[in-house]
Amino acid sequence: MLHFAIRRIVMACLLTLFVSFIAYSLIFAAGDPAAALAGQASTAADADRLRHLYGFDRPIVVQYLHWLSGVLRGDFGTSLYFGQPVATLLLDRFAMTARLGCFALILALLIAVPLGVVAGRWPNSLVDRLALLFAVVGQAMPSFWFALLLIILFSVKLGVLPASGTASWQSFIMPTVVLGYFATPAIMRLTRSGMISALEADYIRTARAMGLSETRVLFDYALRNAALPVISLASAQFGFMLAGSVVVENVFAIHGAGSLAWESISRADLPTVQALVLCFSLFYVVMTLLADMLNAMLDPRMRRK
């Protein structure tokens, strides 16, 4: 297990290093960053001054290493729009987004896993068909449209939930439902297919022949094996939910990392965009690493791969 963990950690570090270079290179995707910062009404002298000020006149490798050394010290630079350290902005905004993402993932797992187990235990039944319909609708429905439907129903018509903000715990209910519903169909379908495959395996027939109860067969044997890919998918979905919070946070006026990404991109706040891309990617890498560790603990065969 120790060798497996070391290999995975080394791979995660190399992947993070590669992602950090991509994140830094993004500022050159739209051309000369100094000219973009100076604006259309600027002169060549203004662009040259900014180019020298931000170090864009140096080789890109030197610029990247200088930026990376600052990142390792927790210094992401200063936001061009907000005028404050990017690290401070990230800490404030990511805490809100991470809280919302955790609530949404817990809700998605509470709905998707039991529904997938029941649908997989009785395939082609009425419950299975309703679960598949639920998954198809969830995958086809845009998150902003679903968010607007909830606002119209619970805020405008019924008046029981606030339409925006984070003033109370009730404010998180609708954003959590929207984000959680985004992740539920994929987890439910994977749990269902895993349960169907597991229940057709020889070791399940052996367990039933030994007289074990159906509840123990389902949860101690079938679900344990069906849960391995679900763990990996749930970690990936958590990363997608954080990135997908851009839409939800803007609809519900939540000042999290998603809304910060939208504001930074629309205002060409390059240091903040770089930091956000790196942090979102790093979060995804860490979640994938934790899922691999958990899978290896549940299934020792994975440690040999």
Side-chain angles (χ1 to χ4, degrees):
M1 184 65 191
L2 180 61
H3 290 166
F4 175 84
I6 292 174
R7 285 202 311 270
R8 284 292 188 271
I9 291 173
V10 170
M11 290 175 62
C13 292
L14 292 176
L15 181 59
T16 303
L17 195 63
F18 175 73
V19 169
S20 69
F21 183 75
I22 298 298
Y24 182 78
S25 302
L26 286 177
I27 63 171
F28 300 100
D32 187 356
L37 289 173
Q40 295 181 349
S42 64
T43 64
D46 294 332
D48 287 339
R49 182 178 60 81
L50 290 175
R51 193 172 293 112
H52 180 70
L53 177 64
Y54 290 103
F56 294 136
D57 52 351
R58 292 180 292 178
I60 186 172
V61 175
V62 177
Q63 296 178 48
Y64 166 69
L65 292 177
H66 177 73
W67 175 77
L68 185 62
S69 66
V71 168
L72 293 176
R73 298 193 305 271
D75 180 13
F76 291 89
T78 303
S79 168
L80 300 178
Y81 176 73
F82 295 98
Q84 55 181 302
V86 175
T88 304
L89 282 173
L90 292 181
L91 287 176
D92 293 340
R93 300 295 189 95
F94 254 103
M96 181 66 70
T97 300
R99 185 191 312 170
L100 183 60
C102 288
F103 291 160
L105 182 62
I106 292 172
L107 178 66
L109 290 174
L110 289 177
I111 295 174
V113 173
L115 199 57
V117 170
V118 174
R121 173 62 181 83
W122 292 280
N124 299 319
S125 64
L126 178 62
V127 176
D128 182 34
R129 293 177 183 177
L130 290 176
L132 291 176
L133 177 63
F134 173 77
V136 170
V137 173
Q139 289 177 321
M141 190 185 314
S143 57
F144 71 91
W145 188 76
F146 185 41
L148 292 176
L149 278 182
L150 293 182
I151 290 174
I152 292 172
L153 178 61
F154 292 102
S155 298
V156 179
K157 298 292 184 182
L158 301 178
V160 295
L161 292 175
S164 61
T166 55
S168 62
W169 64 269
Q170 292 95 332
S171 306
F172 289 93
I173 293 178
M174 287 194 289
T176 299
V177 170
V178 174
L179 269 182
Y181 194 42
F182 170 77
T184 298
I187 298 175
M188 192 284 293
R189 292 175 74 98
L190 191 61
T191 306
R192 175 185 178 274
S193 61
M195 288 296 294
I196 292 176
S197 298
L199 290 172
E200 293 175 348
D202 291 338
Y203 67 91
I204 294 295
R205 281 192 285 271
T206 303
R208 283 173 172 160
M210 293 172 62
L212 299 180
S213 67
E214 188 64 17
T215 301
R216 189 173 177 189
V217 169
L218 278 180
F219 293 100
D220 285 359
Y221 292 88
L223 183 57
R224 183 186 179 106
N225 287 281
L228 296 177
V230 174
I231 293 171
S232 300
L233 178 65
S235 66
Q237 288 290 334
F238 190 52
F240 290 144
M241 280 194 290
L242 293 184
S245 64
V246 175
V247 175
V248 175
E249 289 181 4
N250 276 282
V251 171
F252 290 102
I254 296 175
H255 298 294
S259 66
L260 178 62
W262 174 260
E263 293 167 351
S264 303
I265 293 172
S266 61
R267 295 181 173 96
D269 190 351
L270 298 178
T272 308
V273 173
Q274 285 177 324
L276 283 169
V277 171
L278 180 61
C279 288
F280 277 126
S281 304
L282 182 61
F283 209 93
Y284 185 83
V285 170
V286 171
M287 291 302 300
T288 304
L289 176 64
L290 293 177
D292 286 346
M293 297 288 187
L294 187 56
N295 277 334
M297 292 173 63
L298 293 175
D299 187 357
R301 293 173 298 178
M302 294 193 63
R303 303 173 198 170
R304 297 192 291 269
K305 294 181 179 178

